[in-house]
Amino acid sequence: MAGRKRGGADSRCPACGLPVLIQWVGDTAAIRATVTLPPADARLPYPEALTERTPNDLVWCLPRGPHRALRLRWTHHRHPPDCPHQHLTSHKCHPEPTTLF
């Protein structure tokens, strides 16, 4: 869609420098999701992501294919617990301190 900017594998958090994926998820009422982009071979199962989220976080499913762009998907209560894709929560920035004291 025009006007929707996506952060890909080369996007970095301006504060901490970690690679992030920034994407509008949804069609009618979209949410701007920012997640830390892990390596493609990292195993991040859905049940583990559920335990790491906070009450204000959503868990996103990130399927990776050899010929498709990265695209976050919604998860919900019927999401399969054995889903083989990576499951991510919102990016939590922990910038390096800029002062010496």
Side-chain angles (χ1 to χ4, degrees):
M1 296 184 92
R4 291 191 177 191
K5 182 181 175 188
R6 256 186 241 158
D10 59 346
S11 296
R12 297 205 170 264
C13 174
C16 67
L18 286 175
V20 292
L21 176 65
I22 303 167
Q23 205 175 82
W24 288 96
V25 183
D27 296 322
T28 305
I31 292 178
R32 185 174 185 255
T34 303
V35 297
T36 303
L37 192 60
D41 59 349
R43 180 157 157 62
L44 301 166
Y46 183 57
E48 185 178 307
L50 286 174
T51 62
E52 292 177 3
R53 72 177 179 175
T54 64
N56 295 326
D57 270 341
L58 295 173
V59 175
W60 304 102
C61 182
L62 180 63
R64 291 183 185 245
H67 305 292
R68 60 189 299 196
L70 296 177
R71 184 142 177 93
L72 294 171
R73 291 184 186 168
W74 293 91
T75 61
H76 48 79
H77 67 281
R78 293 184 302 174
H79 192 78
D82 57 346
C83 176
H85 305 125
Q86 292 178 330
H87 295 86
L88 311 168
T89 57
S90 299
H91 173 67
K92 291 161 189 73
C93 191
H94 302 288
E96 293 291 321
T98 56
T99 59
L100 299 175
F101 49 90

